[in-house]
Amino acid sequence: MSNRRSDLQKEVIEQLVAAKAVDFEAVGSVLSKYGARAAVAGDAISAVVHWRMVDICIPPEPYQRALEIERSLGGRTNG
């Protein structure tokens, strides 16, 4: 599977970022506020940003498990 976007997809994501449809600074601020507490408690908070998705999920499971499985398969999935 390619991680390349079409020109249309690239234009849409650029506009979403420019419009702050996801305010990454706000996400970072909130996660950093609770990050140390989550680490000490062994609790999970997550923000995943990559070519396929932007996912801010509390708790991150089962999505995190799916990403870990995909990574262990070298990016290959049955889907």
Side-chain angles (χ1 to χ4, degrees), residues 39-65:
V40 169
D43 212 343
I45 57 177
S46 177
V48 178
V49 179
H50 66 91
W51 72 271
R52 192 178 346 184
M53 70 175 179
V54 175
D55 185 23
I56 302 159
C57 189
I58 301 171
E61 296 88 12
Y63 307 106
Q64 181 140 353
R65 284 192 202 113

Side-chain angles (χ1 to χ4, degrees), residues 15-71:
Q15 289 297 310
L16 288 170
V17 170
K20 292 194 175 191
V22 174
D23 186 339
F24 293 102
E25 289 184 26
V27 169
S29 177
V30 170
L31 292 180
S32 69
K33 179 178 178 180
Y34 296 99
R37 184 171 155 198
V40 169
D43 212 343
I45 57 177
S46 177
V48 178
V49 179
H50 66 91
W51 72 271
R52 192 178 346 184
M53 70 175 179
V54 175
D55 185 23
I56 302 159
C57 189
I58 301 171
E61 296 88 12
Y63 307 106
Q64 181 140 353
R65 284 192 202 113
L67 288 172
E68 289 168 2
I69 291 168
E70 181 179 342
R71 284 186 197 122

Side-chain angles (χ1 to χ4, degrees), residues 6 13 38 58 76:
S6 70
I13 195 66
I58 301 171
R76 293 171 286 130

